[in-house]
Amino acid sequence: QVQLQESGPGLVKPSETLSLTCAVSGYSISSSYYWGWIRQPPGKGLEWIGNIYHSGNTNYNPSLKSRVTISIDTSQNQFSLNLSSVTAADTAVYYCARSRSYLPFDFWGQGTLVTVSS
Amino acid sequence: QSVLTQPPSASGTPGQRVTISCSGSSSNIGRNTVNWYQQLPGTAPKLLIYSNDQRPSGVPDRFSGSKSGTSASLAISGLQSGDEADYYCAAWDDSRNVVFGGGTKLTVL
């Protein structure tokens, strides 16, 4: 069974960089699939942040593209999210998930709350 | 402002049939398939319907999906109290981006 687990600081200061990692078990991320990040501000809907393909190719939400970097570490079977210059508006539960091209996110992590505050 | 448009709320009584709509454009729903997610309170979203009308293993056939043109619908028949959740539609667009609807909160009266 594929499992994803997010990890990283739960509190980030404004203007700093938010960094999260998603550890994948039960599947080798170098084999195939897109690996994505999705976030959900408290009480609001889902927002796609971006995907990375197993080859390293990326796609980012145009509204976040200037601040987002997603990378992949096949040796550790994990992928990461960096979001720079954060503000309070970036406070959200951040999920990592797996999908195939033009198909849905079929496995999700449990999510991790990141609060941006001084 | 979400790319896909859903009604913010829907409701029904136990046993009823409810539908939730999702409206997009020619660059997303009009060109690619629609997926639906169910999010129970305090949990991660769960895939409910994929490729417009396909149910993953374990999803009851009370849940069904359809698509026509640039719109899609999720139908839930035989409504149960356990169906009370937020429902999101999603699709890929022309640029290989993923777009979500704003979500619909389903209340079972």
Side-chain angles (χ1 to χ4, degrees):
Chain A
Q1 178 79 336
V2 179
Q3 291 186 316
L4 296 91
Q5 178 68 58
E6 306 88 350
S7 63
L11 181 64
V12 180
K13 290 182 168 55
S15 81
E16 294 189 344
T17 295
L18 179 160
S19 295
L20 296 174
T21 296
C22 181
V24 180
S25 59
Y27 188 84
S28 171
I29 65 172
S30 62
S31 297
S32 184
Y33 283 93
Y34 283 84
W35 304 93
W37 289 97
I38 303 101
R39 70 180 183 178
Q40 185 172 35
K44 296 188 178 181
L46 301 170
E47 179 181 34
W48 174 73
I49 300 171
N51 287 344
I52 188 164
Y53 195 47
H54 69 98
S55 62
N57 291 340
T58 54
N59 288 87
Y60 299 136
N61 186 322
S63 68
L64 299 170
K65 188 172 185 175
S66 64
R67 299 194 291 130
V68 173
T69 302
I70 297 176
S71 59
I72 195 166
D73 184 346
T74 55
S75 67
Q76 297 292 318
N77 217 44
Q78 63 187 31
F79 60 106
S80 299
L81 168 69
N82 278 355
L83 181 65
S84 64
S85 305
V86 297
T87 69
D90 295 309
T91 293
V93 174
Y94 285 76
Y95 296 100
C96 59
R98 183 189 86 163
S99 76
R100 275 204 159 127
S101 182
Y102 295 102
L103 286 174
F105 292 108
D106 55 359
F107 286 96
W108 294 64
Q110 65 185 28
T112 186
L113 174 63
V114 179
T115 302
V116 178
S117 175
S118 56
Chain B
Q1 201 83 353
S2 301
V3 174
L4 306 181
T5 301
Q6 298 179 235
S9 63
S11 63
T13 56
Q16 262 191 336
R17 181 178 187 270
V18 297
T19 61
I20 297 171
S21 62
C22 175
S23 176
S25 70
S26 58
S27 65
N28 43 64
I29 293 179
R31 197 176 295 259
N32 299 303
T33 61
V34 177
N35 309 303
W36 291 89
Y37 300 92
Q38 177 193 57
Q39 187 177 33
L40 297 169
T43 68
K46 167 194 163 186
L47 180 61
L48 194 65
I49 297 287
Y50 68 96
S51 297
N52 302 329
D53 57 9
Q54 301 298 301
R55 283 185 306 276
S57 173
V59 174
D61 59 6
R62 300 187 298 106
F63 295 91
S64 61
S66 64
K67 181 186 121 171
S68 177
T70 59
S71 295
S73 290
L74 171 70
I76 309 171
S77 60
L79 198 61
Q80 300 176 0
S81 58
D83 298 333
E84 205 162 85
D86 294 325
Y87 293 85
Y88 294 90
C89 60
W92 290 65
D93 72 11
D94 286 352
S95 302
R96 287 184 179 268
N97 298 323
V98 177
V99 291
F100 282 98
T104 298
K105 184 176 184 62
L106 175 63
T107 301
V108 180
L109 302 170

